[in-house]
Every structure is written in C-alpha cells, then in structure tokens.
Amino acid sequence: MSITNLLNNWSFYRQKRPYQGQYDLNRQYSEYKWAMALDLDICTGCNACTTACYAENNLPVVGKKRFNQGHVMHWIRIERYWDENMGEFPEQGASFLPMMCQQCEEAPCETVCPVGATSHTNDGLNSQNYHRCVGSRYCSVNCPYKVRYFNFWNYPSTAWPAPLPDQLNPDVTVRTKGIMEKCTFCVQRLNEAKSRARTEYRLVRDGEVVPACVQACPTSAITFGNIVDPKSKVAMMWKNQQVDLYKDMQEKDNSVRGYRILEDLRPFPSVMYLERVRDMEA
Amino acid sequence: MGRVREGRVLKMEGNPESKISGGKICGLGQAAVQVQYNPDRLTQPMMRVGDSLQPVSWDKAMALLEEKTGPKSGINGNEFAFMTGAMSGHLKVLVQNYLDSLGSKNHFVYEALSPAVSFAANKQIYGVDMPRLHFDKAKLILSFGSDFLGTGASPVHFAKEYAKFRKAPRGTLIQIEPKMTMTGANADRWIPIIPGTEGVLALGVANQLLKHDDFSKTVPADIVNLVGKYDLDTVSSITSVRSDLIGHLAGLLWEKSPSLVISGASVEGHVHGVQNAAAIQILNRILGNVGKTVDGQAQSPFPQLAPATGSFASLKAMNDGMGAGTYKAVFIYGANPVFTTPSFMGFRDNLRKVPFKVAFVNAVDETAEECDLVLPIYTAVEDFGSHVAWYQPEGVEITMQQPLMDKLYSDTRSMGDIMLDLVKQRRADEYKAWPNFFSYLKTAVTNIKPAVKYTDTDEHFWYDTLSHGVIHVDAPQQQIAENFSTEMLDLPTTVNSPDPKFPFYLIPSERHYFRDGRHANCGWLQESPDPLTTVVWDSWAEIHPKTAASMGIHEGDYLEVSSQNGTIKVKAYLFPGIHPDAISIPLGQGHESLGRFAKGVGVNPFKILNPVFEKNTGELAMFGTRVSVKRTGQSEIVVKDEGPVSTQMGRKLVVTLPADVAQLSKEI
Amino acid sequence: MIHRLLATLCFAFLFGTAAGAEPFVQGGPIGSQTPDGYNALGPVVKQPIEFPHYRHARDMGINCMYCHTGARRGYVSVIPRIDKCIGCHQNIESVRNKPRIKKLFEYWDKKQPIPWKKVNDLPDYVRFNHERHIQRFYFRQNRPVREVCGYCHGDVANMTVDRRVKALSMGWCISCHQKDHKESDTNMKTSHGPGECWQCHK
C-alpha cells in the first residue's frame, strides 16, 4: 500500500470490522464473504476432514516426539470432550468439535502482527503471508481458538522422505522453518473458482467451490459458501439459525441451534456451529 | 477419483456417481496417495538368498515361478495354495481361473477382521449374507456393538445414511457395547455391557417387549417360551446392565417404530457369536422391522464378480495344510497373516515349512519377509481393476479402477498382468486374445453391456464406463426369509464366573484408520488422532478410571497384559467409555516390518489372542480372550492431542441441545 | 546496491499511483532497464532448439495465444506440446530442411518432448494468473496482443530465443497493480489491480 493510498483510504483502514455494507453484491471487491456452517449433530469425529487437509495443504507429518512437544501442524483438528456432569460412564457419548481457523472478522491475530503478515482479505478471509512472517508467534498467542501452527523445524527437509514430495500440491507453498501457518479455507481453490467466474462475467456459484474438508466429509456436516449471496445455502442456514455476522451476541430462540464459538470475545468468527442434539429421554 | 498434475496423482476424492460413497471419502481413501509415494515401497522383485531377500530381475523371478509352479514343475493342484485378502471383480475371476488351470481348489480368502460370523447369522435367519438396512426409515437404531460409522462394510456409506437418519424427524441412536466405538460416541445413549452378553440383553429386552399384547400375539410360541426365561433380574445380573434400563429400552422400542436393531463385531467375536447376533435379530422380528427397515439387497446378476470376504476357517485350513507339509508352493496376495494371526497358530513356522512361497506386495510386510519370492505390484492408483462391494445399497454397483498415473517404478507390474501370465502357462490358447490385463478387463467389462441395456457400441460402453467410474446394474431385490427358530439360541442363563487368573476381558478394538494394520505405514494415518482417545503414533490400553484407581494405575503406566498365549507391554490410558471389567487395545500397530512409519510403533494384540472359536462357524472369537493386567512400574507420557483437561470447563464450545427442544424440521 | 534498491522502491511507492494513460512500454533492446529503474534483464537461456519468436509472431503475425493456449483460460500460459509444432510444420515443406526444423522432427520421430527451459520463472510461492491479465487487457480493454503480453514479457516478437526483460519482482508487479487502468475500451471507469497477499502468494 502506498502512502497516497493509505491517506486516501484512511477512514477505510480505520473502520472497525465487520461493518454493515462491508460485504455487498454491488461492491466491486467485496462481493464474496466466505463462511461455513458446521453441524455438530452429524459430525461423527471420523477425521476424514483432517486427512483431506493434510493432502490438500501439504501439512507435514511431524512424528511422535514433536507431536508430544505440541508441534503438530493439523490445520483442522477434532477435539473430543466428555460431559462435565458425566457419571461413571459417558452415557451421552462424546462431543466432537472440528476446530479450524474461524476466519474472524475482527481477528485478534491480525492486530498484533508486528510485520503485517496476517491481514484481512476483501473476501473476508484472514490471510497469512508466509514470506512476510518473521515468526514472532504473537498471533498464535492471541488466537482464542489456538488454530495457528508454527513451524519449529525445517519440515521440507525431513517430513517428506522421497518420493513423498511427489504428492505435494503445487498450488500450496511448502512452509519452511520459523513461520506461522493456519487454515486458509483452501484459498487456492477459492482463487481459482473466482478467476473462472470472473472470466465468465458472473459470481462463483453456490457449491461450485468447497475446501478439501467439506468435500471429504462423509456426513456432509460442513456447508461452505458465499454468505453475501442470500440464495447460497450457507447464507440461508445462517439466517435460519438467527446468527448474524455483524452481531457479537446473538439473540436467538432456545430451539435454534446456531452459535459461534467464543463469541463473547468479539472476534466475529465466520464459522457457525450448530449445536449437538441429544435425545435426553433415550 | 483423484486429482492429477503433471502426471502425478496428488489427492484422492470420492466418486460423486457412486451410490455407495456419494462423492465422499474416508481418511483411508485419502491415504492411497501415501501408499503410492511411500518411501518404503518395494521397487523391484526380491528373491531369497540365504537369510535375506536380494534384488532380482523380473526375468529371473518369472523363470523361477515357471520352474516351481509351471507346467513342467509337476506340481499338482493339491500341492498349491493361493491366499488372498478379500477380493472381488475380474481379478478374482482370474485368480480362480489360474487355480482351475492348476486343478487346485485351494483359494484361501482370509481377512483378519471378516464379517463371517454376521454373515452366518444372517444366512440362518434371512437366507442372505447381508440384508439391506434402511437407516433413514428408522426412528430408533438400537446398535449392539456395531461400529458402522468407524469400521465395517462401508463407514462412508453408513455415515451418509446416518446423516439422513439424524435429519428431521431426528432418529435416536442407542449403542450397547463393552468399549465405546466412534458410533457409540455419537449415540444418544451409550450403555456399557459385559462383553459377550449382548444376546442375553437382547432377549431380556424381548422379554419386556412381549409383555405388550401387540407383540406377543404376533410372535411364535417357541420364541415366547424361550424369551420368558430371561427376566429382568437374570439379565441384569448377567449383563451388568441396570434392570430399569432394560425396561426403558423396551419402552423406547415400543414407542418408536419402525426401529432397526443391528449387531456388530463385539457381539459376534465370542464363542456364541452367531447366537448373540441371532438373538439380537429376534428383536427386529418382534418389532416387525423385517421388511420395513431390514430388507433384501439387490441380487447381483454376476455371481462370479461377487466379493469373497474371507474367513478364519480358510486360514486354518491353509495353516493346517502347511503344517502337514501338503503344499509345495504358496502364493499370498492382499493379506498379511504372519502379522494378523495369533501366535498360538504358529503361522510363521508353518509358512517356513513350505518350500516355495511367493508374495505380491506394495511394500515388504511381515509375511513377505518370510517368502522366497516377493513381487512388487502396482498400487491402486496405477492399475486397472474392477470391484464389487459386499454391501450394495441400491442395485448392484461395479466400481471401476483405472490408473491415475503411469507407474512410479519401472520394475513394478500389474497384479492382473502377472495373473494373466500365470494363467497362460497352462491355458495359452484360451487367453491368447489378451496381451495384458487391460485388454482382458476391457473384454470382460464389455460383456456386462447387455445387463445394463446399453445400446451404443462396445467401445463407447467401455469409455463411458471409465469416465463414470461405476456401472450401475438394476437388479431385482432379493427376498429375505424369516427363519427365527429358537433352536439356535442357547445363550447362558447363569452368570459366567470369571477366571481369577485372568480377570479382564480383552477387547482388541478395530481402529477406523488401521483396521487390521495394513495401512499402518502411512504418516497421515499414524498422526491422525484416534477419535476417542486422541492418542497418536502408539498403542495404548484403555482401562476404566475406576478400575485403574483400584489398581493404582495412572495414565502412561506401562502394563503387562497377559493371556495364556503371551504378554504385551503397553501404556495405560484411562478411558471412561469402557466396561470396568474390560481392557481394550487397538489393533493394527506393532509391526516388525512394513516400513519406517509402522515398524516398532506400538504393540500387536493379535498375537496374544487365545484359541477360542465361535461355535457355529469356527471363526476365531476375537473378543473371547481373558487377560491379566499387571503394573510394571515403568511409565511414559502418552502422546495425544487432548489437553490435560477432557471437559469443556464450562466454556460454550460444544453445546448440547435436548432433542425435544430442537426444531430440526424448521431448519434448512 | 541496497541503497539503490531502496531508492527505486521509494520511487515506485511515491509515484506509482499517478493515474493517466498507459504508455505501451516496449521491452526495449536487450540490456535496457524498465522505466521505473528495475534491473530487468535476465540471463541468456540456451534452449534445445533456438526457437525464432520473431519469425512466428512478427513475420507471420501469429497471435501469441495460438501456441500459448493456457494464457487466456488458466494460471499457466503453457508451452505448447510438440504435436502443436508438428501440426503446422508437417505441411510447410519450404522450411523442412532448415536445421532447427530438422531438429524438431528428430524429437518428433523419437517421440520425445522437447526439453524447453523456463525463462520467466517465478518463485514457487507465487502464483501468477495469466488468465486475469489477458482477460482484462486483451479481451475487455481490447489492446493488441503483443502489447498485452509485452507488459511483462517485453517485445518477444522481436527476439529469437526468449529472454526475460522485466524484473518480475514483487515491487515491479505492485508498481503496475497500483496504477489505475481503464476497465474496458468503451468505459472510462478505471480500477487498479488487487493488493492482497493471497492473490499472488500461495
């Protein structure tokens, strides 16, 4: 950004996100806002999404020792919780929570990066620029979801013994030591779909592009799409679940399942979860 | 399906045209690329020289095959055995033809985790191997140890069906099993039970159900009489399930109709496994679910392509034959019996007695280590093939496999090509029209054309088939019988007194990513946390916190788990989802070979299984082993994804909504 | 050296936004610098066949995208396969005995691809989208193809073997992205290129 640009658009950069009208089908660069809806009732915790992510995004396998040290690089992970009031046995089953970068609108990680390596894109993603990152790890500290992963080791030289590098996705950089990385909503797929759509003078169609996790999910628990388009499935789900991107606290009926995790911290996440349902009379 | 760039396959995807997967894919499917690019893949034929395997050229390898098993070797059919894993489609036909050409009947299909017991029970009752299950029509699924979401026939398909079942009107899932599986973790109610007593519980529930006039009138008298013996107190004391729960289950089943009652591996892996499964199916009969949620699959018009799913009986037959010195040559493909057979069988020693052993593998596993000739074959992404799954939800689906890329190593060959060469040893004239497996498959697949009423040319049909990846054949539905006789139900009515020397039930649990261990050499799968314990890169013993406390066991303590047949040393993991009298160790780890990601990781509980067999089928009773547990005093951290606290600490992370409050029907 | 680089960067930052008509910047004679001071010239690349771009693009007037077919519809512009070359040249008897054409047919007869070397190579972490640029300037703004391709590749039509003549560095990319460009040939509206990291960095 040049200084002229910065001065001309001062109020834009000072604007608190998200603001009404930030995403609008008529605005040239904000006709997209990627969002998700994740149904915890039909997520079975099977890990198909995590493996798909490893395949799509060149995530390194770190090994047992480094896993133990917390160096694991899974951009999407499945957390498992037991009920707090569990008796002798977990009679209501376990609670699975797929957790990936929530692509917050008011992202806590963005404001603290000393070099501006992580910033907001026009289509509402929280971008991570590996080449600008200096590895201060401040963003990871500030992330309430703990979904930022740091390359403590030079994985390109160790994690893929030949010929495993042949599998690497050429659309995604292989990250080296000393930088932070995280879920991108498979931005390489989004960019390609956007480019294709633009050539054809249209917007990306609903369902035309999905991240790897959504594509793999056997129960179709994850819905992904452009929330700016009111006819997209994800936008209808958000509306139906009375979750508003621009509100920090939802006022919703008790029977409605939609919620965003740690909303009270006001990061305005782009991922809506649907509550797990349990038949208490069973 | 897969994504290919510059001649390299990068990522696997499900085929959206498949009615089984619906375009979805599990982690195992994703890992196919890691098998393809595995650094420990076998890249050239190996021949035994003294104690070690040495590289050899294909010419020499094939010459050796010719010398030992060719027409001039003088081998007769009885002296030859071919062991394969479960297989279907045209490669199976070719294997069969090869054996025919030798005059051999020794095709031993072996899967360590085969559905043989459940097939036997279904055959008795319904007259078919596997009925079709309508999850979406059921309001209640009562599952006795069936981990349909994690393992079994097709987790991807059943997960898809499960999602439909959970949409409005939301069905209720109740899971009864000794150790919580992934399916149990998703249940509305999970009920622990003493392993092997599930059949008794089913009869106890039936007993309660028959108190309703609606049911007792429709059920034959012999069933009513039999079920009468299983009153609440008896059943409760045998199964350790509270008696009020049994009545509650019956109430729910009565209330929510149609329901679906299913059983799984932990029910079937016992001495009376078939009876257990049959007792559970009686519930479907009483509830009138047969014909509603339990139905017939389509009858395949191509029986020769149908899958052979394998059984322990065939492993035993082969093992005995090898021990007696019957076989002069043995071929092994798609199975790793040295790893998956219990040590009491002495499979490794018996295999060594065979003078000529050949393995067809992607990577050298424990079995291949023992062989005289190890031939490297194409992986699934390099080869042509056809497959038929044993659970067919709609019609019959023949899945086509085609290469996504050129062979990675010039010195590997297609299994089909090798088989064709072998068949040609004796039937050169019959098979001369086909220079390779591709042309054979093309001809064979084209023969299916009339069955699908395809009217265009053969060539078009072939390319159409390849571009769709599946052939859907409309086939008439099988009629299922209802032979519920009480003769086969001889379940105990008294409490089993435990052996004081071996107080614990061993549950060798099937992990959804490792199954019997053949995929253990994939880094992605090793690093993918087990859904329930979140442990990675290791084996562990799940033990109930209450039991652990009474024995002074903490997480990470090394335990000596001993059966009559051996001892394994494994770390403890305190797990609330297990019966206090049971201890569970996952299968699939503990490799001595296979490659860098698998070798030396964890322990192999297959080895310590006792010679306990299912009564009706002779299958190994996987869950029938009793063990003792001893602390060793050593301890090591358990590497897992879960943090030090396993609850949400009051935060609103996963919120649970009672089903009666939720209004799913108003959702989109 | 660093000072000079910084100076040029500042130069670009300060004056890069000046809106106005876009001058058609020629690649210029080999060895020259781009107007904003970047050291543009790349190394001489020795190709397996000395491909005469001038013959095809200048003398014959063939559209660049006749061979580089990917440019209008994908990220990569595509170096044509050998069958594309043969497709024409098997019917052009007049040059059949020229040494380069003989070499071409040697590869064809051996069924080997020609091992072309990369000239305009970007780092692995950058994804340049040819499609967006061609669509914008060639199809929508209706500029001549040699000009549009020339923005980044220089005057290839006057070269024999292609040589990199532009900096292809990030600052150089940005310097153009910050300019206001007309949106189409009929519309006076202008806009500039995207400035987000993820547009090009992958």
Side-chain angles (χ1 to χ4, degrees):
Chain A
M1 137 202 356
S2 72
I3 292 168
T4 336
N5 194 356
L6 188 71
L7 292 174
N8 284 344
N9 296 295
W10 185 243
S11 58
F12 175 79
Y13 288 107
R14 292 270 298 163
Q15 179 83 42
K16 204 187 132 336
R17 285 162 182 278
Y19 53 90
Q20 287 290 348
Q22 180 183 353
Y23 300 110
D24 186 344
L25 283 176
N26 302 321
R27 266 188 63 118
Q28 195 181 1
Y29 285 114
S30 304
E31 63 270 81
Y32 297 106
K33 161 70 194 170
W34 304 111
M36 261 187 197
L38 206 157
D39 191 344
L40 293 178
D41 192 37
I42 53 174
C43 168
T44 63
C46 74
N47 270 326
C49 51
T50 55
T51 316
C53 187
Y54 269 76
E56 175 73 21
N57 290 308
N58 302 340
L59 304 188
V61 167
V62 301
K64 187 177 179 181
K65 186 175 150 219
R66 289 171 187 171
F67 197 108
N68 190 29
Q69 291 162 338
H71 296 175
V72 62
M73 305 299 287
H74 45 26
W75 285 2
I76 175 167
R77 61 172 187 259
I78 311 264
E79 295 175 1
R80 191 270 291 120
Y81 296 106
W82 300 118
D83 291 346
E84 253 150 85
N85 49 2
M86 178 175 74
E88 193 181 343
F89 301 108
E91 296 201 342
Q92 304 268 302
S95 303
F96 292 114
L97 177 67
M99 179 51 77
M100 76 304 269
C101 175
Q102 307 285 304
Q103 314 288 356
C104 308
E105 271 303 310
E106 188 82 321
C109 52
E110 287 174 7
T111 48
V112 297
C113 181
V115 291
T118 177
S119 58
H120 221 68
T121 67
N122 283 323
D123 45 0
L125 298 178
N126 176 245
S127 76
Q128 174 73 21
N129 188 344
Y130 309 126
H131 316 94
R132 187 170 278 194
C133 178
V134 294
S136 78
R137 288 182 271 153
Y138 199 169
C139 54
S140 162
V141 172
N142 233 25
C143 174
Y145 305 97
K146 291 288 159 280
V147 287
R148 292 182 149 266
Y149 300 93
F150 186 68
N151 284 274
F152 282 94
W153 305 92
N154 186 14
Y155 291 116
S157 67
T158 56
W160 292 280
L164 275 178
D166 280 3
Q167 182 274 325
L168 294 175
N169 184 355
D171 299 341
V172 180
T173 312
V174 178
R175 284 79 55 184
T176 186
K177 185 175 173 175
I179 54 162
M180 194 55 83
E181 62 183 64
K182 64 161 198 78
C183 162
T184 63
F185 271 7
C186 287
V187 69
Q188 67 280 8
R189 293 182 176 205
L190 303 182
N191 279 347
E192 206 169 299
K194 268 162 58 184
S195 175
R196 196 166 50 229
R198 225 164 155 195
T199 300
E200 294 168 14
Y201 291 94
R202 61 173 173 88
L203 289 183
V204 174
R205 292 188 200 99
D206 194 30
E208 183 180 345
V209 58
V210 287
C213 52
V214 182
Q215 190 174 3
C217 179
T219 58
S220 309
I222 322 177
T223 310
F224 177 86
N226 178 13
I227 203 172
V228 184
D229 174 8
K231 287 194 210 94
S232 71
K233 191 168 177 225
V234 73
M236 291 200 283
M237 280 176 85
W238 277 58
K239 191 159 174 242
N240 191 253
Q241 298 291 346
Q242 303 175 9
V243 176
D244 190 346
L245 182 69
Y246 302 102
K247 281 192 188 154
D248 58 338
M249 291 296 214
Q250 314 298 334
E251 297 144 15
K252 62 182 183 74
D253 306 339
N254 278 342
S255 63
V256 165
R257 295 197 290 145
Y259 70 106
R260 292 186 290 180
I261 291 176
L262 302 182
E263 234 174 358
D264 42 342
L265 299 177
R266 298 170 59 81
F268 299 92
S270 307
V271 181
M272 175 184 75
Y273 287 84
L274 302 182
E275 288 168 9
R276 187 181 79 138
V277 181
R278 281 292 181 267
D279 189 349
M280 300 295 177
E281 277 140 34
Chain B
M1 271 175 60
R3 182 176 352 131
V4 181
R5 190 77 65 82
E6 290 175 2
R8 293 174 289 120
V9 56
L10 300 178
K11 189 168 182 301
M12 308 304 293
E13 306 288 4
N15 182 354
E17 292 197 34
S18 162
K19 293 195 169 138
I20 297 174
S21 75
K24 301 300 184 179
I25 189 165
C26 61
L28 280 179
Q30 300 275 357
V33 286
Q34 285 220 321
V35 175
Q36 166 71 354
Y37 300 115
N38 202 296
D40 301 307
R41 243 186 95 178
L42 185 63
T43 57
Q44 53 188 338
M46 306 286 268
M47 197 163 82
R48 178 159 303 280
V49 180
D51 278 347
S52 63
L53 290 167
Q54 300 292 338
V56 65
S57 72
W58 270 102
D59 289 345
K60 270 193 177 166
M62 293 309 274
L64 187 69
L65 268 181
E66 177 91 31
E67 180 198 326
K68 299 282 187 181
T69 61
K72 290 187 190 127
S73 66
I75 193 166
N76 78 41
N78 297 330
E79 293 165 340
F80 175 80
F82 203 141
M83 170 179 271
T84 66
M87 63 192 305
S88 62
H90 294 97
L91 187 61
K92 184 190 131 195
V93 176
L94 214 46
V95 167
Q96 205 58 53
N97 291 353
Y98 174 58
L99 284 160
D100 285 349
S101 77
L102 265 162
S104 173
K105 290 196 166 46
N106 301 329
H107 183 193
F108 298 110
V109 183
Y110 166 60
E111 283 289 322
L113 305 165
S114 83
V117 175
S118 96
F119 279 11
N122 289 333
K123 199 97 192 162
Q124 273 191 11
I125 299 166
Y126 299 120
V128 294
D129 282 345
M130 179 75 197
R132 190 182 156 199
L133 309 172
H134 293 276
F135 279 30
D136 47 339
K137 288 186 194 161
K139 287 186 186 153
L140 172 76
I141 296 179
L142 180 61
S143 156
F144 288 86
S146 167
D147 184 17
F148 55 85
L149 292 177
T151 56
S154 174
V156 173
H157 173 71
F158 283 114
K160 199 166 65 112
E161 294 298 298
Y162 166 82
K164 283 189 214 160
F165 163 75
R166 287 298 206 190
K167 291 276 161 64
R170 184 177 185 276
T172 303
L173 171 66
I174 298 176
Q175 182 89 357
I176 300 162
E177 58 194 357
K179 170 230 163 344
M180 184 181 270
T181 57
M182 235 174 71
T183 313
N186 286 291
D188 293 280
R189 179 99 190 200
W190 180 80
I191 300 169
I193 187 169
I194 291 182
T197 63
E198 291 90 343
V200 176
L201 179 66
L203 294 178
V205 175
N207 180 308
Q208 296 300 306
L209 277 175
L210 291 182
K211 288 183 177 163
H212 293 281
D213 279 354
D214 299 6
F215 295 128
S216 56
K217 276 183 208 146
T218 61
V219 176
D222 57 335
I223 294 184
V224 177
N225 286 340
L226 172 93
V227 168
K229 287 191 283 183
Y230 296 90
D231 58 79
L232 276 186
D233 294 339
T234 316
V235 172
S236 180
S237 62
I238 295 173
T239 61
S240 84
V241 176
R242 292 198 319 270
S243 51
D244 60 314
L245 259 179
I246 301 171
H248 177 68
L249 284 177
L252 279 172
L253 285 170
W254 187 74
E255 195 184 306
K256 295 183 189 246
S257 178
S259 54
L260 173 62
V261 188
I262 50 178
S263 65
S266 71
V267 169
E268 289 144 9
H270 296 277
V271 177
H272 44 273
V274 169
Q275 296 174 13
N276 260 344
I280 286 162
Q281 290 305 327
I282 278 194
L283 285 175
N284 276 330
R285 166 72 180 81
I286 294 174
L287 293 161
N289 295 335
V290 183
K292 285 184 191 157
T293 53
V294 181
D295 214 342
Q297 289 192 53
Q299 172 100 49
S300 169
F302 314 107
Q304 75 279 14
L305 302 180
T309 49
S311 66
F312 189 80
S314 70
L315 169 79
K316 191 160 176 304
M318 175 162 163
N319 192 37
D320 292 348
M322 292 193 308
T326 315
Y327 304 128
K328 282 189 181 155
V330 168
F331 288 3
I332 299 175
Y333 164 68
N336 185 4
V338 172
F339 177 77
T340 56
T341 50
S343 56
F344 73 80
M345 293 189 77
F347 190 92
R348 191 190 298 247
D349 295 334
N350 286 337
L351 184 63
R352 281 179 184 161
K353 288 182 194 159
V354 179
F356 185 58
K357 312 166 283 283
V358 184
F360 305 88
V361 292
N362 291 138
V364 176
D365 56 19
E366 286 82 352
T367 307
E369 298 266 17
E370 301 297 330
C371 287
D372 302 293
L373 191 60
V374 185
L375 300 177
I377 54 169
Y378 288 177
T379 61
V381 296
E382 293 171 330
D383 208 353
F384 276 98
S386 57
H387 303 275
V388 181
W390 58 262
Y391 183 79
Q392 296 285 349
E394 265 183 86
V396 174
E397 189 169 301
I398 301 168
T399 313
M400 293 302 298
Q401 172 195 331
Q402 52 192 309
L404 291 168
M405 63 183 285
D406 199 6
K407 58 185 173 184
L408 191 61
Y409 298 107
S410 56
D411 254 1
T412 54
R413 282 191 189 180
S414 155
M415 183 65 189
D417 286 350
I418 300 174
M419 286 318 301
L420 200 62
D421 284 351
L422 290 175
V423 179
K424 281 182 187 166
Q425 283 179 348
R426 288 179 178 80
R427 293 184 174 173
D429 280 352
E430 241 174 277
Y431 286 84
K432 68 177 176 218
W434 301 295
N436 51 31
F437 183 60
F438 165 77
S439 55
Y440 173 82
L441 187 71
K442 190 172 167 185
T443 313
V445 168
T446 317
N447 286 341
I448 297 173
K449 202 176 83 165
V452 294
K453 302 188 181 68
Y454 192 91
T455 48
D456 215 331
T457 60
D458 285 4
E459 199 73 1
H460 273 130
F461 177 69
W462 170 248
Y463 287 110
D464 229 26
T465 303
L466 287 188
S467 62
H468 291 287
V470 284
I471 306 173
H472 293 290
V473 186
D474 287 330
Q477 201 182 26
Q478 279 173 309
Q479 285 302 312
I480 54 170
E482 285 188 62
N483 309 318
F484 292 95
S485 79
T486 47
E487 282 159 34
M488 57 190 180
L489 291 176
D490 183 24
L491 290 166
T493 46
T494 50
V495 183
N496 241 356
S497 57
D499 183 347
K501 264 172 79 185
F502 298 103
F504 286 95
Y505 296 90
L506 176 70
I507 300 175
S509 58
E510 188 180 351
R511 253 186 94 176
H512 76 308
Y513 267 9
F514 287 136
R515 303 294 182 96
D516 62 354
R518 68 185 64 179
H519 306 290
N521 200 37
C522 293
W524 290 346
L525 302 183
Q526 287 283 2
E527 195 147 305
S528 176
D530 175 59
L532 287 158
T533 60
T534 74
V535 182
V536 292
W537 289 100
D538 211 346
S539 288
W540 63 93
E542 286 159 28
I543 185 164
H544 195 272
K546 196 173 83 174
T547 316
S550 72
M551 297 174 72
I553 294 170
H554 302 284
E555 182 178 300
D557 285 356
Y558 270 103
L559 307 177
E560 255 179 22
V561 179
S562 316
S563 74
Q564 285 157 348
N565 277 285
T567 299
I568 47 180
K569 233 176 82 174
V570 60
K571 281 182 235 173
Y573 176 85
L574 307 195
F575 184 64
I578 187 167
H579 193 278
D581 292 342
I583 182 160
S584 168
I585 304 174
L587 295 169
Q589 298 278 36
H591 279 277
E592 298 160 25
S593 184
L594 200 63
R596 65 193 75 184
F597 300 116
K599 197 175 171 180
V601 174
V603 294
N604 182 3
F606 275 121
K607 287 295 154 206
I608 64 166
L609 295 182
N610 280 349
V612 186
F613 300 99
E614 207 283 324
K615 252 190 325 201
N616 295 42
T617 57
E619 292 294 297
L620 181 71
M622 292 281 293
F623 292 74
T625 300
R626 305 289 300 255
V627 290
S628 67
V629 173
K630 212 173 77 190
R631 277 170 59 199
T632 59
Q634 295 160 297
S635 157
E636 197 185 271
I637 211 157
V638 176
V639 181
K640 54 178 185 169
D641 195 33
E642 155 191 63
V645 182
S646 58
T647 65
Q648 301 177 42
M649 299 284 286
R651 290 167 301 171
K652 209 179 148 191
L653 302 178
V654 184
V655 185
T656 302
L657 192 68
D660 48 350
V661 180
Q663 294 182 329
L664 298 183
S665 54
K666 289 192 180 166
E667 289 179 9
I668 296 166
Chain C
M1 179 64 202
I2 286 174
H3 289 291
R4 187 168 156 207
L5 200 68
L6 279 176
T8 53
L9 275 173
C10 290
F11 185 82
F13 268 68
L14 286 172
F15 301 106
T17 50
E22 295 146 14
F24 168 34
V25 182
Q26 279 272 357
I30 289 173
S32 67
Q33 289 188 331
T34 51
D36 40 13
Y38 286 94
N39 189 6
L41 193 62
V44 176
V45 180
K46 195 162 160 38
Q47 298 285 10
I49 297 177
E50 232 179 38
F51 181 84
H53 278 98
Y54 70 90
R55 204 91 183 88
H56 294 81
R58 187 187 68 196
D59 301 353
M60 303 291 167
I62 300 172
N63 190 313
C64 305
M65 285 185 284
Y66 182 78
C67 298
H68 300 287
T69 51
R72 64 172 168 272
R73 58 171 182 235
Y75 276 75
V76 188
S77 69
V78 177
I79 290 173
R81 296 194 318 197
I82 190 167
D83 49 359
K84 187 121 206 171
C85 313
I86 299 294
C88 290
H89 275 277
Q90 65 183 356
N91 296 323
I92 310 175
E93 290 298 332
S94 56
V95 293
R96 192 61 175 269
N97 289 323
K98 297 269 174 85
R100 289 168 186 157
I101 306 297
K102 272 186 173 161
K103 223 168 165 184
L104 171 72
F105 275 90
E106 269 170 37
Y107 279 109
W108 175 248
D109 292 338
K110 281 189 283 182
K111 294 197 167 134
Q112 270 181 3
I114 306 171
W116 298 114
K117 291 191 185 115
K118 222 167 168 178
V119 176
N120 297 287
D121 199 7
L122 291 173
D124 282 350
Y125 51 79
V126 178
R127 250 186 123 190
F128 176 81
N129 191 340
H130 275 92
E131 178 187 7
R132 287 270 56 76
H133 294 84
I134 296 294
Q135 290 292 341
R136 170 69 185 268
F137 295 108
Y138 181 69
F139 288 107
R140 292 190 190 168
Q141 212 174 318
N142 227 350
R143 314 286 298 180
V145 66
R146 274 171 65 185
E147 176 192 319
V148 174
C149 299
Y151 294 156
C152 305
H153 293 291
D155 192 10
V156 182
N158 279 322
M159 299 181 199
T160 309
V161 172
D162 184 26
R163 189 173 183 186
R164 179 162 65 75
V165 291
K166 301 283 180 156
L168 306 191
S169 64
M170 179 172 150
W172 178 78
C173 293
I174 295 284
S175 70
C176 193
H177 270 226
Q178 286 182 333
K179 283 181 198 150
D180 282 319
H181 301 284
K182 260 168 61 174
E183 283 198 341
S184 74
D185 58 339
T186 51
N187 189 342
M188 288 311 287
K189 241 178 102 182
T190 62
S191 63
H192 56 79
E196 283 167 12
C197 310
W198 266 357
Q199 289 292 341
C200 317
H201 285 272
K202 56 186 187 188

